[in-house]
Amino acid sequence: MILLQFLGQESSSNRSQRGQYWKSYGFCEKARARCVEAILSLRDEYIVWPNENERKEISKRILKKYQIPNSVGIIDGTLLQLAFMPEADDKADYSGRKYQWSLSTMIVNDDKCKIRYYLAGFPGTSHDN
């Protein structure tokens, strides 16, 4: 709940969460870090490139649905808006024309919207040309 509230509310901070959840100093930050670590530990189990048989099946479905031959993925880039200024020496690079602070992200998914690959973390001034 602490992580979800932190991600979903722009004004959320360690201080506000400590007061809201009545937790000791450092608990909320540690709880968020543990949740993120748990989620990332599952990444390789759920975000995988399809094997040869899966690629053939995906390619057939994409050909049938979109008339695009020999394709196993659909790719797009997007910007993820950051609520706070990054604490980095190159923080100016995270400032872009659409959002004050953002990360550039590319996602590849199959025809059933399952994420097969992603690349995230480039500063918002990077684009997907």
Side-chain angles (χ1 to χ4, degrees):
M1 184 56 108
I2 290 170
L3 176 64
L4 292 175
Q5 192 261 345
F6 184 79
L7 293 174
Q9 188 173 6
E10 188 172 322
S11 62
S12 186
S13 67
N14 282 331
R15 175 178 276 174
S16 68
Q17 285 195 311
R18 278 196 326 263
Q20 182 175 358
Y21 295 108
W22 294 84
K23 298 297 179 187
S24 63
Y25 181 82
F27 177 86
C28 293
E29 187 173 2
K30 188 173 279 192
R32 290 191 309 265
R34 286 178 179 169
C35 287
V36 169
E37 185 178 334
I39 291 167
L40 291 177
S41 73
L42 300 171
R43 174 179 47 200
D44 294 337
E45 185 176 340
Y46 291 98
I47 300 178
V48 294
W49 194 251
N51 63 33
E52 184 177 355
N53 292 332
E54 287 179 303
R55 290 193 303 265
K56 287 178 182 177
E57 289 300 315
I58 293 169
S59 180
K60 287 178 188 176
R61 291 193 308 259
I62 290 177
L63 179 61
K64 183 178 179 180
K65 188 171 183 178
Y66 302 107
Q67 290 77 45
I68 301 173
N70 305 317
S71 180
V72 294
I74 300 160
I75 187 171
D76 195 15
T78 190
L79 288 175
L80 302 176
Q81 185 176 8
L82 301 175
F84 305 103
M85 176 178 67
E87 294 180 11
D89 293 336
D90 62 345
K91 61 186 167 206
D93 292 341
Y94 290 83
S95 179
R97 66 179 179 83
K98 290 187 178 180
Y99 303 115
Q100 184 168 1
W101 309 106
S102 61
L103 291 175
S104 181
T105 305
M106 178 194 68
I107 298 173
V108 179
N109 60 279
D110 63 18
D111 61 309
K112 294 185 176 181
C113 297
K114 181 176 180 181
I115 296 175
R116 295 300 187 153
Y117 179 79
Y118 70 94
L119 181 62
F122 284 101
T125 54
S126 303
H127 49 78
D128 62 349
N129 276 354

